[in-house]
C-alpha cells in the first residue's frame, strides 16, 4: 500500500479514465459525462438494478417517515435527478422543506 496522498496539487487532476489530460481539460470532460448521463440516469438505474433502486428509495423514505407538518427540513446531498427529494416531499404531503444539493445543474 502506498503512503503517498493524491491531492488537487498532484496526481488526480490530470487523470481522466485511462488517459492523461491537461489540468484545465478535466473538469469540462467530467461535466460532459454527467450531462450526457443525466437525462437517462433513472432508466439506467432501472436496467442495472432490475428496478430495485426504486424499491430501495421507497423503503428509505418510508424509514425516514417525514412528518406531515411544516417545519421539517431535509437536505439531499448528491441528489442527482431529485427523485428521493420528490419522494420525501410527497410523503410529507408537500409540507417538508427539501433541498437538493448537487454539483450538476
Amino acid at each position: 500500500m502506498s503512503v503517498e496522498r493524491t491531492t488537487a496539487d498532484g496526481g488526480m487532476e490530470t487523470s481522466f479514465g485511462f488517459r492523461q489530460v491537461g489540468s484545465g481539460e478535466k473538469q469540462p470532460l467530467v461535466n460532459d459525462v454527467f450531462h450526457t448521463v443525466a437525462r437517462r440516469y433513472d432508466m439506467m438505474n432501472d436496467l442495472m438494478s432490475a428496478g430495485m433502486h426504486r424499491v430501495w428509495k421507497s423503503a428509505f423514505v418510508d424509514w425516514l417517515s417525514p412528518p406531515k407538518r411544516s417545519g421539517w427540513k431535509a437536505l439531499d446531498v448528491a441528489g442527482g435527478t431529485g427523485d428521493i427529494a420528490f419522494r420525501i416531499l410527497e410523503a410529507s404531503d408537500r409540507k417538508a422543506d427539501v433541498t437538493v444539493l448537487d454539483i450538476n445543474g
Side-chain angles (χ1 to χ4, degrees), residues 21-71:
V21 295
S23 60
E25 296 174 84
K26 183 175 180 175
Q27 192 60 53
L29 291 169
V30 171
N31 292 347
D32 286 344
V33 169
F34 279 110
H35 290 118
T36 300
V37 171
R39 288 182 292 281
R40 296 181 297 264
Y41 186 75
D42 289 328
M43 181 180 66
M44 218 170 50
N45 278 338
D46 279 334
L47 293 171
M48 290 188 303
S49 72
M52 284 303 296
H53 77 108
R54 294 181 187 273
V55 174
W56 296 328
K57 291 172 185 182
S58 290
F60 170 68
V61 174
D62 288 346
W63 171 82
L64 196 58
S65 189
K68 295 173 173 35
R69 60 175 167 72
S70 297

